[in-house]
Each structure stands twice: as C-alpha cells, then as structure tokens.
Amino acid sequence: FQHYYITNNLRIMSSLLPFTPPIVKRLLSWKRGNGDEEDKWAEKAVKSLVKKLKKTGGLDELEKAITSQGPTLCVKIPRSLDGRLQVSHRKGLPHVIYCRLWRWPDLQSHHELRALDCCEFAFHLKRDEVCVNPFHYQRIETPVLPPVLVPRPHNLDHFAIKSEFKSPGNNLLENQYSPGSQSDTNNNFSMSVESPPSYLSSPEPHSQPPPTAQPPTADSITSSPQSVIHSPMTPDIRPPTSPAIPHPLTHHNIPAEFQAIQFVEPKFWCDISYYELNNRVGEAFHASESSLWIDGFTDPSNNRRFCLGQLTNINRTSPVEKCRKQIGKGIHLQYVQGEVHAVCLSDSSIFVQSQNCNQRNGWHPNTVCKIPTGCHLNIFNNTEFANLLSQSVGHGFEAVYQLARMCTFRISFVKGWGAEYSRQDVTSTPCWIEVKLNGPLQWLDKVLSQMGAPNLTCGSVS
C-alpha cells in the first residue's frame, strides 16, 4: 500500500510540477496532507530547503531520513536573525514547517514539538545552524486531564466546609466589573507589570520552562516603581488534601460516594468579544482552530482570523480610531497541549489580565502584564485549572463557582490600564477583547450541576 501511495504521489507531482527537479519531486512524494494551494506552497518550501542543503551537503541525509524514517544525522540549515524562515508569503519556524510537511500536517506550533536527545542542532539550542530533520523531533501529546471527583448529593454534607473559610478561588478578582458598569477605582484596581522579566519569552521554544516570577515583597514594592500594589497580596491559602484516590482512575476504582466528571474538548475552544471602551462591537468570534490571529485588517470570512478592521461602530471616537490603526498584525493566540499562549505581533504592546497566569507567577489576581512586540505569555493552563477545580470541590459550591472568573481573560491593544495608568479599568482602554474559554467553563458547569445548589437560605429582605 505504501509503495502504491508513493508511486501515485510521484505521478501526481510529475503532472503538476513538470519543471520541478527530480530530487524535489521525490521529496514531495513523501508529503503529508493534500490541497492545491498547499501543494504549491510545499513545492516552494522544498525548493528553498534543497537550495540551502546543496550548499551544506545535507541533501542526501535529508532524503535518507525521509525515506528510511530511521536513525540519521542532523540536517542543518543556517539560522536566521529572528529564527524564522520565510517561504513565499508565509513565515514560520523552520523545524515546524518541515515537520508539518513530512510528518504531522495538523501541527500548529513549536509548543507541540520536543527535540530528541540525539539532535545536536535542535532549534531550542539556538546555535548558528538549525536541524530541520523531521525525525529528530517528536510530538508532545496533549495531557489527559484527570476527572474531578464530586461527592454525590447525599454525601455533600460530609465534604462541605464552613462558609467562613476563604478558599483560593474566593478572592480572585473579587471586584471584577461587568462591561459598561461603573466600578469603584479604589476597590477595582489593577496592578501593572511594566518591564516583563522571566515570565515573558520570545516565540522561540525553550529547553527549560522560564523561571517562575516571585510575588513582590514589601521591599520590592517600596523600591521598584515597576511594581505598584495598592492593596495587600492575596494570602496563599492551601485547601485541605483530597482523600487518597487510586490512579489512574477508572470506573472500577472510583469510590461509590463520588461522581467522576471528565473534561471534554468543545467544538469551539473559545469565544472572543471585541470592545471599544465600554461598548461591545460586533458579534462574538467562535474559535474552532487551535491557532488563530486577531488583527486590525478586514477579512470577514476566515475562520483562523478575527479581523477587527471590518467592524463598524457609529459611536466610535477619535482616540478609538487612532488606536485601531495601530493594532496591525495584532495577536496570535495558540491553544496547544492544554495551554493558551498569546504572541504579540503588533508594533505596539498588548496588555493581558489573566487570573490563571497571575496565580502561577504569584502575582496579585488583578495584575496586568505588558507584552512587547515579539514576546509571548502563557495565559492559561488546563492542568493547573484542573488541580484548582479538584481542590475547590471540598470547599463547597461557592468556592467552585468563583473559578468561573478564571476562565476569562482580557487583552487590550496599544493602551494599558491599572495602577500606573490614568485608565484604572479595562473599559477605559480604546480597544480590547474578552476571551472566554469554553472547555473549562463547561467542565465547571458540569461540576456545579452535580454539586447542586449551595446550602444558603435567602428571603425577601436578604
């Protein structure tokens, strides 16, 4: 069957590309995925690679790697200044381009790849040459989230805690506004992180995760103008340990008093709403692709792009119009391996407020991070959310319900907000988006439905 597949591909390539060199035709015959536009672009990508490898003498090694799919040496090309490779109108990381071409056509990002130990010129090593051997990289599988164990209704009272206990979820963005409403500036401040240190990185992958930022200390708050906090840091309150449960969980070893609630990936992983000041503009964008762009251009029909330039608003002000012109290439959002990453492609910085990110780095829940051009930030992590959700179940309905706020994050373009700005709320920024993560929200809904209503009484005078 494989011989037929390769022979058939060769025949198709010969008819489509009559003036293509034989070595390019042979390499294209091993291409994964189909489509006329993709075939044309793939030809250009392979021609570009062949041209580079002729100079370095790695052409035979590449063909050997693709045809044998066994142990081979590194296939090296020179590394560009920004680490990316441009083929026709597209620009991307070279190892991602050729892994997608010859191994995984659905590959979305470098976050899905890990270099093998034998690779001496892996992309993350940042040497002068980069290995593009697709068989020197392996794909990282999306981690399977463990189910959340929720006590069955008749057992809830045994696991509930007193309402006066403050769970970690209860004080996350307690004073969160509703778009369009007036909020008390003193109670709904946002801390701003101006000069991004280790929590930000370039779009290039790292062999080790960036070090975790430490919460500001009293001394650093006093001495550093970059970290201004107008209210005390959220205390680090650890929930009580959940009962020991055997792993991995199956329907055979789940205790009878618990109901296991699984995470399910939805068709649309997020919904994005666009705002100008406190007014929502246009319809929400429902994202089905794991890699998407939010830019200032005008394509209305691309399911991988949310183009803000084509949205109209009869009440648009001059400052908003000026800000919109600076959005440009905007933001690249990636949902990969259960994590959400934001890359700033705009010539102006973007500003992000994410409770999940803030908790991971030990910052105040209302912290706003500035992401300069070319840098990216890990905004949300499903595994961390799963742990919080499992822990909060033991604290009762209210603690779990508070986690809904963690499933939404906000990004403003060009203009920031917070303690160091005249704009205290995101509703004061000219252009911003709100992103709701559907998978975590639906998971949370299932857990709350299983838990039932909270044991709170309320009357007409309460």
Side-chain angles (χ1 to χ4, degrees):
F1 174 77
Q2 188 179 37
H3 174 73
Y4 170 78
Y5 173 80
I6 299 302
T7 304
N8 190 51
N9 261 10
L10 277 171
R11 187 169 63 252
I12 294 173
M13 290 301 169
S14 298
S15 61
L16 289 176
L17 315 168
F19 304 109
T20 302
I23 178 61
V24 175
K25 290 182 180 179
R26 292 200 301 273
L27 292 174
L28 283 172
S29 70
W30 290 87
K31 181 182 77 71
R32 300 296 180 92
N34 293 306
D36 292 342
E37 287 299 321
E38 287 299 315
D39 287 341
K40 293 176 183 177
W41 182 83
E43 179 193 3
K44 294 177 182 178
V46 173
K47 281 183 176 179
S48 173
L49 181 58
V50 167
K51 184 178 180 180
K52 288 179 171 64
L53 292 180
K54 281 182 177 178
K55 298 177 182 178
T56 61
L59 200 52
D60 291 339
E61 196 66 28
L62 173 65
E63 189 170 14
K64 177 183 176 183
I66 294 174
T67 55
S68 69
Q69 302 183 10
T72 47
L73 302 176
C74 286
V75 178
K76 301 168 291 182
I77 62 173
R79 187 189 194 94
S80 64
L81 290 177
D82 66 352
R84 294 184 293 174
L85 175 69
Q86 182 154 353
V87 178
S88 186
H89 59 284
R90 301 188 199 175
K91 201 169 187 179
L93 302 180
H95 64 307
V96 175
I97 290 175
Y98 295 109
C99 282
R100 185 185 296 133
L101 190 67
W102 283 305
R103 295 196 70 182
W104 304 289
D106 60 337
L107 185 67
Q108 298 290 340
S109 165
H110 64 269
H111 298 291
E112 299 178 63
L113 294 177
R114 180 187 293 120
L116 301 180
D117 293 337
C118 65
C119 187
E120 299 178 1
F121 293 84
F123 185 84
H124 72 268
L125 297 178
K126 299 185 179 180
R127 302 183 66 172
D128 291 338
E129 294 179 304
V130 180
C131 177
V132 294
N133 185 338
F135 293 92
H136 274 201
Y137 296 90
Q138 60 184 358
R139 193 167 186 179
I140 305 171
E141 297 299 328
T142 302
V144 178
L145 298 176
V148 173
L149 298 185
V150 181
R152 297 184 186 276
H154 60 277
N155 291 310
L156 280 174
D157 292 338
H158 298 289
F159 294 92
I161 63 171
K162 294 181 179 180
S163 60
E164 55 265 22
F165 179 85
K166 194 79 165 180
S167 76
N170 285 350
N171 44 22
L172 292 173
L173 276 182
E174 284 184 330
N175 300 301
Q176 183 175 340
Y177 66 90
S178 296
S181 64
Q182 297 295 325
S183 58
D184 184 349
T185 301
N186 294 327
N187 293 331
N188 190 24
F189 80 96
S190 295
M191 166 188 161
S192 300
V193 177
E194 276 296 319
S195 301
S198 58
Y199 61 87
L200 286 180
S201 57
S202 67
E204 301 174 0
H206 298 268
S207 55
Q208 297 294 332
T212 302
Q214 296 299 317
T217 62
D219 293 335
S220 67
I221 294 172
T222 304
S223 61
S224 173
Q226 306 293 350
S227 301
V228 180
I229 300 181
H230 294 291
S231 72
M233 293 292 294
T234 304
D236 184 17
I237 302 175
R238 303 289 182 186
T241 305
S242 301
I245 302 295
H247 294 283
L249 289 172
T250 69
H251 67 280
H252 296 295
N253 58 19
I254 294 176
E257 64 269 21
F258 288 95
Q259 174 70 42
I261 309 296
Q262 286 280 4
F263 176 81
V264 178
E265 285 286 359
K267 179 180 179 181
F268 301 104
W269 68 272
C270 78
D271 294 333
I272 307 172
S273 300
Y274 169 63
Y275 291 85
E276 293 176 357
L277 299 174
N278 60 356
N279 298 313
R280 177 172 160 176
V281 179
E283 299 295 326
F285 180 88
H286 307 291
S288 57
E289 299 288 340
S290 60
S291 183
L292 65 100
W293 287 260
I294 304 162
D295 57 49
F297 305 125
T298 58
D299 187 347
S301 59
N302 194 323
N303 63 352
R304 299 190 68 174
R305 288 174 60 193
F306 184 19
C307 296
L308 307 180
Q310 47 97 18
L311 299 177
T312 59
N313 179 9
I314 60 173
N315 298 316
R316 184 168 291 153
T317 62
S318 177
V320 171
E321 192 66 57
K322 184 178 179 181
C323 179
R324 282 169 57 84
K325 292 178 180 178
Q326 299 181 59
I327 294 176
K329 295 181 180 179
I331 306 167
H332 183 194
L333 278 186
Q334 299 171 310
Y335 178 49
V336 181
Q337 309 301 322
E339 296 183 347
V340 180
H341 296 261
V343 183
C344 178
L345 303 178
S346 174
D347 291 336
S348 302
S349 298
I350 61 173
F351 300 81
V352 178
Q353 186 181 62
S354 164
Q355 296 179 18
N356 187 273
C357 173
N358 292 342
Q359 185 170 47
R360 181 187 320 121
N361 290 290
W363 301 328
H364 189 279
N366 289 3
T367 298
V368 177
C369 296
K370 178 180 179 180
I371 308 181
T373 303
C375 292
H376 89 266
L377 178 69
N378 184 335
I379 293 182
F380 190 90
N381 184 294
N382 276 349
T383 302
E384 293 172 0
F385 179 77
N387 292 335
L388 279 173
L389 183 55
S390 293
Q391 293 169 355
S392 298
V393 167
H395 296 301
F397 185 94
E398 292 295 329
V400 175
Y401 185 80
Q402 290 293 331
L403 293 181
R405 296 172 177 175
M406 186 174 281
C407 303
T408 299
F409 58 87
R410 296 166 184 83
I411 303 177
S412 68
F413 298 92
V414 185
K415 302 294 184 180
W417 80 96
E420 297 184 357
Y421 294 87
S422 60
R423 298 168 295 275
Q424 295 297 301
D425 303 322
V426 70
T427 53
S428 300
T429 61
C431 306
W432 58 282
I433 58 173
E434 182 177 68
V435 182
K436 294 184 177 180
L437 303 174
N438 293 326
L441 281 171
Q442 291 175 11
W443 198 14
L444 192 61
D445 176 72
K446 293 176 182 177
V447 172
L448 291 171
S449 299
Q450 175 65 28
M451 294 182 72
N455 295 322
L456 298 175
T457 58
C458 99
S460 60
V461 295
S462 61

